[in-house]
Amino acid sequence: FPAVSPAADSVVWDFGDGTTSEELTPTKIYVGGKLYTPTLKITTNKGSVAEIKKLISSNGEIQDITNDYLLNTGPKFVASERFGARWGVVADWRVNAAVRQRDGGMGGWDEWEGNSMSMESWGGEPDINNGKIQQTLLKDLPAGRYYYEMVFHDFQVKDQLYNMAVKGNEIADVDKVTTDPNVLSYTKFMGNGPTTQVESFFLPAATRVTIGFASTFIQNDQNFKLTKVRLYKEL
């Protein structure tokens, strides 16, 4: 971390992982593969107070490249199709037939609680078998390390729900996520949210990447509602 001016009467570092320091120039080692938001609170000799926050990776600075590579990333996802007051199809993402089991053949978008990306099989509604929502990035990602952040309104999973980043133009089937050699990173969800989840992957060379969700919901009362996604590159 950078040095703080001696004019500061006191400093408090909150490293964003539950640890703190009052040193002027602390050294901090983070757990790899995650994002953190450290906060520095400075009180000057004259009583002025300043607070600085910055999103970083475990290795240092990152750059938000979401808008350069992805479309329709929330918050408030846009729908390309609508039926009735609630259900739709999320725009700019490919939604397969297994997800479109809502009223009117909709699926992938839910107006309820904030226009989210969604999959849902609730009560006696149709099952979802290998449902997929995915988007291929607009151009190749250069070599480097990347972080893909997902912020959920909520989720409830009993069977199978994965998010993944893969090489190429098609995410893996839900029963092949853990063995497909094109999968760069994945997260398996289970139980209840909400939560923020981060995946990290490394590209040794420029590569076209697709990100998305694959699920099978057979038991009753399963869903997810995604509020936003973000893509960061480590500098």
Side-chain angles (χ1 to χ4, degrees):
F1 288 99
V4 178
S5 168
D9 186 58
S10 68
V11 298
V12 177
W13 296 86
D14 180 338
F15 296 118
D17 65 348
T19 64
T20 61
S21 174
E22 296 183 3
E23 297 180 36
L24 288 179
T25 56
T27 299
K28 173 65 180 177
I29 299 175
Y30 283 108
V31 174
K34 296 184 178 182
L35 298 179
Y36 302 89
T37 306
T39 302
L40 170 62
K41 185 176 182 179
I42 304 171
T43 304
T44 69
N45 296 332
K46 296 183 179 181
S48 298
V49 177
E51 188 172 280
I52 303 169
K53 291 186 177 183
K54 191 169 188 178
L55 181 65
I56 63 170
S57 75
S58 48
N59 293 319
E61 291 190 64
I62 58 174
Q63 178 184 5
D64 187 338
I65 60 171
T66 309
N67 293 335
D68 295 330
Y69 290 90
L70 289 165
L71 301 171
N72 194 20
T73 57
K76 293 192 177 299
F77 285 90
V78 176
S80 60
E81 302 175 49
R82 291 290 305 274
F83 180 85
R86 179 170 178 181
W87 305 109
V89 177
V90 62
D92 302 307
W93 297 73
R94 303 195 302 277
V95 179
N96 72 355
V99 178
R100 297 179 64 137
Q101 37 65 279
R102 313 299 319 172
D103 294 345
M106 300 293 104
W109 185 90
D110 189 351
E111 182 273 341
W112 187 257
E113 297 171 324
N115 298 4
S116 59
M117 181 190 293
S118 171
M119 291 191 202
E120 181 166 328
S121 178
W122 208 265
E125 296 166 348
D127 298 338
I128 296 176
N129 288 284
N130 196 38
K132 293 184 179 183
I133 301 175
Q134 58 188 312
Q135 184 176 160
T136 301
L137 272 57
L138 299 173
K139 52 189 174 181
D140 290 357
L141 286 176
R145 178 160 294 281
Y146 294 87
Y147 296 84
Y148 178 61
E149 181 183 49
M150 299 158 280
V151 180
F152 292 85
H153 180 278
D154 63 72
F155 63 81
Q156 184 167 327
V157 179
K158 303 173 184 177
D159 293 324
Q160 293 176 289
L161 173 64
Y162 292 91
N163 179 266
M164 71 195 89
V166 304
K167 293 181 289 185
N169 298 311
E170 180 71 25
I171 62 173
D173 290 346
V174 72
D175 61 346
K176 295 181 172 61
V177 176
T178 61
T179 58
D180 190 322
N182 289 321
V183 174
L184 297 164
S185 66
Y186 71 87
T187 299
K188 182 178 183 179
F189 297 91
M190 185 59 64
N192 300 338
T195 187
T196 296
Q197 189 73 37
V198 176
E199 293 175 15
S200 173
F201 59 91
F202 178 77
L203 298 175
T207 307
R208 186 59 54 96
V209 172
T210 298
I211 59 175
F213 290 89
S215 76
T216 290
F217 291 163
I218 304 298
Q219 300 182 66
N220 291 341
D221 301 343
Q222 298 186 78
N223 75 337
F224 78 83
K225 298 187 188 74
L226 181 70
T227 300
K228 67 177 181 179
V229 297
R230 291 293 180 267
L231 181 65
Y232 302 99
K233 187 179 190 300
E234 194 168 83
L235 299 179

